[in-house]
């Protein structure tokens, strides 16, 4: 058994065991606290809403447990079981040129893997989300969105894969991985710039925020903080889900502020201003740029590793491939190597929680803590977010601090300012 096989099986098993332990631990912890609203939330969240959030979280955890086993089994079958090689053998039998054969192989493989996950998306949407009153999606819209995603993936993915494979074939004995990294960075920056105007409207309708107190507050906040955008938009999130949210999107001068219509229906103008101030905190602290830099740095290191692995015969044979080509190296890198670096997930979550605290502090200085606390309490309630996650699970997975810790942090900021 080669070293790459041992490493793959070890990290896959370790990741599966950790995820299962945390999953069960979290479900047990939420269930243990299901029948009493935490003291800090008694005034804002009813027992019924708290129990709904607990049951909703536990239902999602149960589904995610099954997905963990399913994903591990599929990956083992497709690699050590020879599944990837069987698909590649089919494309090798075609009369296509090597570059288009390999593009077809990668696109069809990714499509097949996404198809395997389709039943889970159906269960999550039409069973779990439906049972808890969040789903607004019809079967027709679900299928329409799915077809749009596949078509968009083809339109974007085909030229990108063609470019990557062309570079790998032309410079395989040189520093091809560096040229691909440059292409990857440029590709992501273009996507980030194009997303708000060209991609997001494919799936949702965006309308400018109407004049009124809310818009006046937002414009005054933007002026105070020196933030420029190409507009404030409302997204028809209610056409698909009852969940509410707000976000920034875009790059450079092509930035937009987007509010879900479900969020605006729930919050007061003062609370919306506070939520936006939090998002502006991410911008002011440079969190988006920092995350991009980290992402590009990790992709640089990853492609450097791929440059070395692609020249090692055991990399292919040890993962169930007999064909040693740029396409098979790229596929194994995208599906197997992330399993070996699963420990980066908790580090990323820790950094993200630090950013959330910083953004909350900015919002507290800008609009005060009280309206953001009020907005968060409503969002926890309306989105059925668990108020009692297991500490270990939250530390390992959550990109946002647990509800109590976050609220306590905002109150402490308010007290210091007072």
């Amino acid at each position: 058994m080669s070293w790459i096989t041992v490493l793959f099986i070890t990290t896959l098993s370790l990741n599966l065991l950790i995820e299962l332990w945390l999953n069960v631990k979290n479900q047990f912890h939420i269930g243990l606290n299901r029948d009493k609203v935490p003291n800090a939330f008694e005034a804002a969240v009813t027992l019924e809403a708290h129990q709904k959030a607990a049951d909703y979280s536990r239902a999602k955890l149960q589904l995610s447990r099954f997905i963990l086993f399913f994903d591990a089994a599929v990956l083992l079958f497709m690699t050590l079981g020879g599944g990837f090689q069987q698909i590649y053998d089919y494309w090798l039998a075609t009369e296509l040129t090597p570059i288009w054969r390999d593009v077809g192989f990668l696109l069809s493989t990714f499509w097949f893997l996404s198809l395997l996950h389709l039943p889970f998306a159906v269960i999550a949407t039409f069973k779990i989300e439906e049972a808890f009153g969040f789903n607004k999606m019809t079967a027709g819209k679900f299928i329409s969105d799915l077809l749009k995603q596949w078509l968009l993936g083809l339109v974007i993915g085909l030229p990108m894969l063609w470019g990557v494979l062309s570079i790998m074939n032309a410079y395989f004995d040189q520093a091809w991985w560096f040229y691909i990294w440059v292409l990857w960075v440029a590709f992501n920056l273009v996507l980030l710039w194009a997303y708000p105007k060209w991609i997001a409207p494919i799936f949702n309708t965006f309308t400018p925020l109407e004049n009124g107190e809310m818009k006046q507050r937002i414009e005054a906040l933007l002026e105070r903080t020196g933030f420029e955008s190409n507009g404030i938009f409302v997204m028809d999130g209610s056409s698909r889900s009852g969940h509410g949210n707000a976000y920034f999107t875009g790059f450079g001068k092509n930035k937009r502020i987007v509010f879900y219509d479900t969020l605006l229906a729930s919050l007061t103008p003062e609370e919306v201003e506070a939520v936006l101030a939090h998002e502006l905190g991410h911008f002011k602290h440079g969190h988006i740029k920092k995350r991009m830099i980290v992402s590009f740095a990790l992709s640089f290191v990853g492609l450097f590793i791929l440059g070395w692995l692609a020249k090692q015969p055991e990399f292919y044979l040890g993962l169930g491939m007999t064909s040693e080509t740029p396409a098979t190296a790229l596929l194994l890198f995208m599906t197997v190597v992330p399993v070996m670096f699963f420990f980066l997930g908790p580090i990323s979550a820790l950094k993200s929680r630090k950013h959330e605290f910083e953004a909350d502090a900015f919002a507290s200085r800008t609009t005060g803590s009280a309206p953001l606390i009020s907005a968060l309490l409503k969002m926890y309630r309306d989105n059925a977010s668990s108020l009692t996650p297991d500490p270990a699970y939250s530390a390992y997975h959550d990109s946002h601090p647990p509800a109590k810790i976050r609220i306590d942090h905002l109150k402490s900021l308010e007290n210091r300012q007072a």
Side-chain angles (χ1 to χ4, degrees):
M1 187 179 291
S2 70
W3 66 269
I4 192 72
T5 308
V6 173
L7 180 61
F8 171 51
I9 293 176
T10 301
T11 52
L12 180 64
S13 301
L14 183 61
N15 182 44
L16 182 61
L17 288 173
I18 292 173
E19 291 286 0
L20 286 173
W21 174 69
L22 289 172
N23 183 295
V24 174
K25 196 170 186 291
N26 192 33
Q27 182 163 352
F28 178 77
H29 190 273
I30 291 173
L32 197 63
N33 294 277
R34 180 183 181 275
D35 295 327
K36 187 179 186 307
V37 180
N39 295 335
F41 302 100
E42 284 180 329
V45 180
T46 65
L47 178 60
E48 182 182 5
H50 175 63
Q51 291 178 331
K52 174 185 175 181
D55 294 341
Y56 178 55
S57 297
R58 295 169 76 192
K60 291 192 295 181
L61 286 167
Q62 289 171 356
L63 179 63
S64 65
R65 273 203 304 275
F66 188 84
I67 293 175
L68 283 171
F69 283 109
F70 181 83
D71 284 348
V74 167
L75 192 55
L76 284 172
F77 173 76
M78 298 303 290
T79 53
L80 304 185
F84 285 148
Q85 185 61 52
Q86 288 181 23
I87 297 175
Y88 197 51
D89 288 342
Y90 167 81
W91 285 98
L92 287 172
T94 66
E95 297 181 358
L96 294 172
T97 58
I99 186 72
W100 287 112
R101 174 201 68 204
D102 288 353
V103 168
F105 161 64
L106 289 172
L107 285 176
S108 63
T109 303
F110 292 139
W111 176 79
F112 173 68
L113 292 175
S114 70
L115 203 60
L116 291 178
H117 259 263
L118 185 56
F120 300 119
V122 172
I123 293 171
T125 301
F126 295 104
K127 185 176 180 181
I128 296 178
E129 296 292 310
E130 184 80 28
F132 290 92
F134 291 120
N135 179 46
K136 309 298 180 185
M137 183 88 74
T138 63
K141 186 168 288 187
F142 182 87
I143 294 172
S144 173
D145 281 356
L146 185 64
L147 294 176
K148 288 177 183 178
Q149 290 170 13
W150 286 346
L151 182 60
L152 187 63
L154 185 65
V155 171
I156 295 176
L158 193 149
M160 183 62 185
L161 285 176
W162 184 87
V164 168
L165 291 172
S166 295
I167 291 173
M168 292 182 76
N169 282 311
Y171 302 100
F172 202 65
D173 294 328
Q174 303 175 39
W176 57 266
W177 59 269
F178 178 76
Y179 305 136
I180 289 178
W181 179 75
V182 173
L183 176 63
W184 177 249
V185 170
F187 174 75
N188 276 275
L189 290 177
V190 170
L191 269 187
L192 188 60
W193 174 84
Y195 179 80
K197 189 173 182 179
W198 306 107
I199 298 177
I202 295 174
F203 299 95
N204 289 97
T205 300
F206 296 83
T207 55
L209 182 65
E210 295 180 355
N211 292 327
E213 180 189 356
M214 190 175 293
K215 186 173 183 180
Q216 291 173 359
R217 278 182 170 273
I218 289 173
E219 289 177 342
L221 175 63
L222 295 178
E223 187 174 351
R224 288 202 311 272
T225 54
F227 183 86
E228 295 181 2
S229 75
N230 278 353
I232 307 164
F233 292 85
V234 180
M235 189 186 86
D236 63 333
S238 58
S239 65
R240 288 169 173 79
S241 173
H243 294 292
N245 205 352
Y247 65 91
F248 282 130
T249 182
F251 180 71
K253 294 183 178 180
N254 194 30
K255 297 192 292 290
R256 285 185 177 185
I257 298 167
V258 178
F259 294 102
Y260 284 38
D261 56 355
T262 46
L263 184 73
L264 297 184
S266 174
L267 305 185
T268 66
E270 186 181 22
E271 291 166 346
V272 171
E273 181 188 18
V275 170
L276 178 58
H278 168 88
E279 297 299 331
L280 286 172
H282 287 303
F283 169 76
K284 285 296 183 179
H285 283 285
H287 294 158
I288 298 172
K289 290 181 180 178
K290 290 175 183 177
R291 289 170 188 171
M292 287 174 57
I293 291 171
V294 169
S295 174
F296 292 152
L298 289 175
S299 64
F300 181 89
V301 173
L303 286 168
F304 174 78
I305 294 172
L306 177 59
W308 176 75
L309 287 173
K311 296 178 181 179
Q312 313 301 317
E314 57 265 38
F315 175 59
Y316 305 90
L317 294 174
L319 295 174
M321 299 293 297
T322 56
S323 299
E324 300 178 17
T325 67
T328 56
L330 191 61
L331 177 66
L332 292 175
F333 177 73
M334 295 176 71
T335 56
V336 175
V337 173
V339 174
M340 302 175 185
F341 289 89
F342 71 89
F343 56 86
L344 293 177
I347 299 174
S348 176
L350 176 64
K351 192 68 175 178
S352 178
R353 290 194 297 274
K354 180 177 180 293
H355 288 173
E356 293 301 322
F357 281 130
E358 291 174 351
D360 280 350
F362 178 85
S364 179
R365 293 193 302 270
T366 307
T367 62
S369 293
L372 182 56
I373 290 173
S374 175
L376 288 172
L377 289 173
K378 288 182 180 179
M379 292 169 71
Y380 290 141
R381 179 197 65 201
D382 296 344
N383 291 327
S385 301
S386 174
L387 301 176
T388 57
D390 177 75
Y393 180 93
S394 183
Y396 193 90
H397 280 291
D398 290 347
S399 60
H400 288 61
K404 186 178 186 309
I405 293 176
R406 190 174 182 184
I407 297 298
D408 287 346
H409 175 250
L410 282 166
K411 288 180 178 177
S412 70
L413 292 173
E414 189 176 38
N415 293 334
R416 267 182 270 171
Q417 291 164 7

